[in-house]
Amino acid sequence: MESQQNNEYKAFWEERYAETAYSYGKAPNEFFKQWIQKFEPGSILLPADGEGRNGVFAAKLGWDVISNDFSRAAEEKALQLAEQERVSIHFMVNDIEELNLPDAKFDAIALIFAHFSPEKISSIHKKLVKALKKDGIIIFEAYSKNHLEYRERNPKVGGPGNVEMLFSKADIERDFGGFEITLLEEVETKLNEGKYHKGVGSVLRFVGKRK
């Protein structure tokens, strides 16, 4: 049953990213844009980077970028965007769970609307923490558990319909407990990211440094 759900989930994203337009636009996420510029460029991993808008922006700032998604269509559009912007990114097509990530490899990891299956979220986060260097940075923005009511009022704002795929401050404190917290907040924000993130929603934001 789980395998069937995984296949349906992957088919959904493959179909979405196969559309001609960039699903969430070509511009970077505003929260990511604001925070990534505060740090000295190094190596960065972007799981669930989709069509590459955030990875390409980081590359333009001088970061050594590895973007990841399980969609071939996403990879194709991400590499097209990188070419348009005259930068280079490395794109790994795979389920994040199956990626072989070296320990203490990255200076930063960005999780921007990276919503995973409920039973996998914590294990994925722990895997990513191991791949982060000491003093490495996490930049995180995703829909909060309170987002469902916003989604019910306006489906165009996007996000999962399963509350267990959404986040609370307690979830972040649990999964990133060994971090020095720079920012941890739940806020209402207006999204204008392509076709599928349009309108007011509730997001959880976290910036932290691995101790």
Side-chain angles (χ1 to χ4, degrees), residues 32 36 44-49 54 108-114 128 132 137-141:
F32 174 73
I36 193 62
I44 185 169
L45 174 67
L46 295 100
D49 194 31
N54 296 313
I109 295 176
L111 290 159
I112 306 299
F113 296 107
L128 294 175
L132 196 62
I137 300 297
I138 292 273
I139 301 173
F140 176 105
E141 180 175 66

Side-chain angles (χ1 to χ4, degrees), residues 28 33 66 75-76 95 136 149 156-157 161 165 202-203:
K33 179 181 177 181
I66 294 181
E75 177 195 31
E76 187 176 325
D95 192 311
E149 59 189 82
K156 290 183 179 179
V157 74
M165 293 178 71
S202 178
V203 297

Side-chain angles (χ1 to χ4, degrees), residues 1-93:
M1 184 66 179
E2 185 180 331
S3 176
Q4 183 183 343
Q5 287 175 336
N6 284 342
N7 289 338
E8 289 173 358
Y9 186 70
K10 290 179 179 181
F12 170 86
W13 287 106
E14 200 68 59
E15 184 178 341
R16 174 164 292 187
Y17 291 142
E19 295 175 6
T20 303
Y22 279 68
S23 302
Y24 304 98
K26 295 181 179 181
N29 168 267
E30 282 297 324
F31 181 73
F32 174 73
K33 179 181 177 181
Q34 173 193 347
W35 278 93
I36 193 62
Q37 295 183 82
K38 297 177 186 287
F39 302 109
E40 195 68 30
S43 58
I44 185 169
L45 174 67
L46 295 100
D49 194 31
E51 299 157 318
R53 63 194 179 111
N54 296 313
V56 168
F57 181 76
K60 288 171 70 176
L61 296 176
W63 287 82
D64 181 14
V65 174
I66 294 181
S67 291
N68 155 256
D69 205 282
F70 52 60
S71 165
R72 289 283 174 195
E75 177 195 31
E76 187 176 325
K77 287 165 86 173
L79 296 178
Q80 284 176 358
L81 183 59
E83 187 176 352
Q84 287 171 15
E85 297 293 336
R86 298 180 181 176
V87 294
S88 176
I89 65 171
H90 183 60
F91 200 104
M92 300 175 78
V93 178

Side-chain angles (χ1 to χ4, degrees), residues 141-167:
E141 180 175 66
Y143 292 111
S144 78
K145 290 192 182 296
N146 291 315
H147 178 69
L148 281 187
E149 59 189 82
Y150 292 85
R151 188 177 182 270
E152 286 168 9
R153 289 198 296 266
N154 172 26
K156 290 183 179 179
V157 74
N162 180 355
V163 71
E164 292 182 4
M165 293 178 71
L166 306 176
F167 295 96

